[in-house]
């Protein structure tokens, strides 16, 4: 609304056409990308459905993504599937869906990067079993960010409690880790669909 009380037209103030639903927007995006990707639009829509089933912990983020970004991400379905398989091999009892939802960058990490990040966590908690590590990472996927989150946590509270106690806190409380991270260092994950879209715009 301007100074004279008039409503200014914008994406927020102009009502969408009754037929311009999320599904309609998604169909249009698939049709646009169909020629560019040389894939049938119906196949692209099917890939979007498969992506949503593959990442159940990220439904709210996927729903907030722009249709074009969602279709673009769905074209990487095979690579995402392979990455989830790799995560399940490395973390056999972890809740991989929760881990990915908390820290989407793991979807684009090379296996060597993942193994290096896991080694840093293991070195910090040498007495932890595989099940302990899996439980901790299920609740705190950002521990796989290369060591920054873990270093911040240790600097903040590592001198106050034994490693085993710290591990139990991380297993129980997914928000515990963020007490020791600056906001700009936190993965936006579920809080920002643009973060996920940016990961796949470059291909």
């Amino acid at each position: 609304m301007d100074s004279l009380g008039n409503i200014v037209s914008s994406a927020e103030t102009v009502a969408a056409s009754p037929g311009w639903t999320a599904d309609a927007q998604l169909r249009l995006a698939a049709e646009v990308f169909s020629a560019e990707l040389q894939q049938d639009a119906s196949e692209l829509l099917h890939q979007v459905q498969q992506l949503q089933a593959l990442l159940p912990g990220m439904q709210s983020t996927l729903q907030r993504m722009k249709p074009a970004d969602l279709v673009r991400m769905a074209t990487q379905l095979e690579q995402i599937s392979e990455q989830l398989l790799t995560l399940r091999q490395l973390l056999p009892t972890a809740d991989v869906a929760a881990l990915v939802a908390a820290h989407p960058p793991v979807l684009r990490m090379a296996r060597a990067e993942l193994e290096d990040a896991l080694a840093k966590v293991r070195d910090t908690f040498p007495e932890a079993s595989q099940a302990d590590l899996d439980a901790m990472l299920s609740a705190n996927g950002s521990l796989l960010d290369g060591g920054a989150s873990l270093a911040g946590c240790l600097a903040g509270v590592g001198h106050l409690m034994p490693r085993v106690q710290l591990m139990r806190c991380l297993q129980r409380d997914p928000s515990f880790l963020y007490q020791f991270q600056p906001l700009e260092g936190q993965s936006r994950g579920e809080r920002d669909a643009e973060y996920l879209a940016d990961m796949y715009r470059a291909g």
Side-chain angles (χ1 to χ4, degrees), residues 175-194:
S175 67
F176 183 81
L177 185 63
Y178 294 111
Q179 301 175 59
F180 314 104
Q181 287 182 300
L183 184 60
E184 61 271 18
Q186 296 179 22
S187 166
R188 289 176 287 175
E190 286 278 10
R191 295 186 291 114
D192 190 353
E194 282 296 307

Side-chain angles (χ1 to χ4, degrees), residues 98-100 102-103 106 136-145 177-178:
L99 189 157
V100 170
H103 192 59
V106 296
M136 183 168 59
L137 290 167
S138 295
N140 296 275
S142 57
L143 286 171
L144 296 177
D145 65 1
L177 185 63
Y178 294 111

Side-chain angles (χ1 to χ4, degrees), residues 74-198:
T75 65
Q76 304 294 313
L77 188 65
E78 183 177 347
Q79 293 91 326
I80 293 172
S81 298
E82 291 174 354
Q83 187 72 340
L84 293 175
L85 180 59
T86 295
L87 286 166
R88 291 188 178 104
Q89 290 172 343
L90 296 173
L91 302 165
T93 64
D95 184 342
V96 171
L99 189 157
V100 170
H103 192 59
V106 296
L107 289 173
R108 299 299 293 267
M109 290 172 69
R111 186 181 183 108
E113 289 181 272
L114 284 170
E115 290 175 341
D116 182 62
L118 282 169
K120 290 178 181 177
V121 177
R122 287 193 182 99
D123 289 344
T124 303
F125 301 96
E127 298 180 1
S129 66
Q130 182 67 53
D132 283 331
L133 290 172
D134 288 358
M136 183 168 59
L137 290 167
S138 295
N140 296 275
S142 57
L143 286 171
L144 296 177
D145 65 1
S149 294
L150 188 55
C153 181
L154 293 175
V157 77
H159 61 292
L160 298 175
M161 60 178 67
R163 288 288 188 272
V164 172
Q165 185 180 355
L166 176 57
M167 180 181 66
R168 299 302 178 206
C169 288
L170 289 167
Q171 289 175 337
R172 290 193 303 266
D173 184 4
S175 67
F176 183 81
L177 185 63
Y178 294 111
Q179 301 175 59
F180 314 104
Q181 287 182 300
L183 184 60
E184 61 271 18
Q186 296 179 22
S187 166
R188 289 176 287 175
E190 286 278 10
R191 295 186 291 114
D192 190 353
E194 282 296 307
Y195 182 75
L196 194 59
D198 288 345

Side-chain angles (χ1 to χ4, degrees), residues 28-64:
L28 177 60
E31 290 169 4
V32 170
F33 275 100
S34 178
E36 178 184 328
L37 300 172
Q38 296 184 330
Q39 276 186 270
D40 187 74
S42 61
E43 176 59 25
L44 289 174
L45 290 172
H46 181 59
Q47 289 176 341
V48 170
Q49 293 175 343
Q50 289 180 300
L51 178 68
Q52 292 168 332
L54 197 61
L55 300 171
M58 302 182 72
Q59 287 300 314
S60 61
T61 296
L62 296 177
Q63 290 169 4
R64 291 197 304 273

